[in-house]
Amino acid sequence: MRTAVCSGSFDPITLGHLDIIRRTAACFEQVWVCVSPNAEKKNQMFTPEQKLLLVKAAVAEYPNVRAELWPGLLADYAMDHGACAIVRGVRNATDWDVERELARINADLHPGLDTMLLPAAAEYEHFSSSMVREMIRYGQPLEKYLPAAAVELVRKMRTELNREEA
């Protein structure tokens, strides 16, 4: 079975992320979505468990896609799941440079593990999770940015958080 891994911190998952996952699912028999903490990223809005819940809701319609949390190295996750490829979305030249370096590191860790870089679809190349977090903070409509299955969950999570903070 040809297996691929899509990964990210998904804080939160966006339509851009989902487009990369959907396109990967069309090319591979099994896709694992690895929800990873990223210590480099500040101002996380959602807990790892909330991120996983959002991702699972977003990919529920794809029978060959599963999602899990993973605190370790992505290359190790890919090998543990029998993946032949890591698939990453790239929006611009900066993403390309970062992902190319990570691909080389992952290949050094596990020779034979390929990384495939998919360009973001034009309608999503300006999306970022940080931009979406701003939309959430300021109560903007989310339907243009988040998978439909995640919109209501995000609203519920934010309402619960606001109640706890009050």
Side-chain angles (χ1 to χ4, degrees):
M1 179 182 298
R2 295 193 44 87
T3 301
V5 171
C6 291
S7 70
S9 56
F10 302 109
D11 190 43
I13 187 168
T14 68
L15 287 172
H17 293 129
L18 187 60
D19 183 60
I20 296 295
I21 294 166
R22 179 193 58 77
R23 290 161 56 197
T24 302
C27 297
F28 289 87
E29 295 166 294
Q30 178 72 54
V31 177
W32 287 95
V33 179
C34 177
V35 180
S36 304
N38 186 336
E40 303 276 316
K41 291 189 176 182
K42 307 290 184 237
N43 303 320
Q44 297 283 302
M45 181 174 276
F46 299 97
T47 68
E49 294 76 18
Q50 288 173 322
K51 293 175 196 179
L52 180 61
L53 184 63
L54 292 169
V55 170
K56 284 183 172 184
V59 302
E61 67 183 272
Y62 303 104
N64 62 330
V65 178
R66 301 285 179 269
E68 293 181 321
L69 290 175
W70 179 260
L73 293 173
L74 179 59
D76 291 342
Y77 181 88
M79 297 312 295
D80 286 354
H81 287 75
C84 61
I86 295 169
V87 180
R88 300 285 293 170
V90 292
R91 297 170 293 176
N92 52 43
T94 302
D95 284 357
W96 171 266
D97 288 341
V98 169
E99 295 299 338
R100 186 186 59 206
E101 288 177 15
L102 292 173
R104 288 184 177 143
I105 292 166
N106 288 333
D108 284 345
L109 292 170
H110 295 288
L113 178 61
D114 285 321
T115 297
M116 301 172 74
L117 303 180
L118 287 180
E123 62 266 35
Y124 304 126
E125 65 186 10
H126 65 287
F127 281 29
S128 69
S129 290
S130 57
M131 180 271 299
V132 173
R133 286 193 304 273
E134 287 300 298
M135 298 296 130
I136 294 168
R137 277 188 190 97
Y138 293 105
Q140 296 301 306
L142 302 174
E143 290 75 13
K144 290 184 194 177
Y145 310 111
L146 297 178
V151 170
E152 198 55 42
L153 284 173
V154 165
R155 288 186 179 128
K156 181 180 175 189
M157 288 173 187
R158 293 305 295 165
T159 300
E160 290 173 5
L161 179 63
N162 290 340
R163 255 190 254 128
E164 291 172 11
E165 290 174 351

